């Protein structure tokens, strides 16, 4: 299983009046980690678009266990769960090795011009993934 770690620091604009990260900001953290993960593979959102595809999130599940606070440094562990018909990723928000949050996202590949779900990812993605696994 492919894993990727992405570091974050909780900034003031991410917290509420009690210095706790607002629940919706975790989605922003997951998106940033997912973008970095795709760059690491060597096939990012620009590659999808250039090949004529969009990759919208169609499902997102989040379990909040413990909060992050202003100034905290944490990391997002991204795991590739499935890339057969859709892109499925798991995320863990970790601080000092403790799991604070667990989430799963599902993205489907959409042909931009036809506006149709493809239920397979572009061949370029699979080539990049294979090259990354082989190295």
């Amino acid at each position: 299983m492919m894993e990727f770690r992405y570091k974050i620091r909780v900034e003031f604009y991410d917290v509420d009046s009690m210095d706790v990260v607002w629940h919706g900001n975790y989605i922003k953290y997951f998106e940033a980690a997912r973008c970095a993960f795709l760059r690491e593979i060597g096939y990012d959102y620009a590659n999808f678009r250039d090949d004529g595809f969009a990759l919208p999130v169609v499902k997102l599940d989040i379990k909040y266990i413990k909060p992050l606070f202003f100034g905290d440094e944490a990391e997002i562990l991204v795991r590739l769960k499935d890339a057969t018909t859709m892109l499925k990723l798991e995320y863990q928000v970790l601080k000092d090795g403790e799991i604070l949050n667990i989430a799963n996202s599902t993205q489907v590949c959409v042909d931009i011009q036809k506006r149709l779900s493809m239920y397979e990812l572009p061949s370029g993605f699979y080539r990049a993934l294979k090259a990354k696994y082989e190295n």
Side-chain angles (χ1 to χ4, degrees):
M1 180 182 313
M2 187 170 192
E3 293 186 348
F4 176 76
R5 292 180 181 266
Y6 180 77
K7 294 182 186 238
I8 63 167
R9 179 179 171 83
V10 176
E11 301 296 343
F12 181 73
Y13 50 77
D14 287 336
V15 300
D16 62 18
S17 61
M18 295 181 61
D19 286 341
V20 175
V21 171
W22 175 66
H23 70 279
N25 281 325
Y26 287 92
I27 297 169
K28 177 178 69 174
Y29 298 154
F30 301 144
E31 181 67 30
R34 183 168 52 247
C35 286
F37 173 71
L38 291 173
R39 283 192 304 273
E40 177 72 14
I41 291 172
Y43 195 91
D44 63 12
Y45 285 123
N47 297 112
F48 279 95
R49 184 190 61 233
D50 292 346
D51 286 342
F53 300 101
L55 200 64
V57 173
V58 295
K59 184 175 181 182
L60 179 64
D61 296 309
I62 305 171
K63 180 178 181 181
Y64 300 96
I65 301 167
K66 288 186 175 182
L68 282 170
F69 296 92
F70 174 62
D72 280 350
E73 293 183 0
E75 63 181 358
I76 312 292
L77 174 62
V78 181
R79 287 189 178 118
L80 178 62
K81 299 294 281 186
D82 187 24
T84 51
T85 60
M86 299 177 192
L87 183 63
K88 295 183 179 185
L89 300 173
E90 177 187 83
Y91 312 85
Q92 291 182 353
V93 177
L94 302 160
K95 182 181 168 204
D96 300 325
E98 182 179 14
I99 298 173
L100 304 182
N101 186 303
I102 299 170
N104 289 280
S105 68
T106 302
Q107 293 172 266
V108 66
C109 193
V110 174
D111 183 303
I112 294 171
Q113 288 192 345
K114 295 178 186 176
R115 296 185 182 219
L116 292 174
S117 298
M118 301 308 296
Y119 297 104
E120 67 178 324
L121 300 170
S123 58
F125 176 81
Y126 292 118
R127 283 193 301 274
L129 194 59
K130 184 178 178 185
K132 184 68 179 172
Y133 269 126
E134 289 179 352
N135 293 333

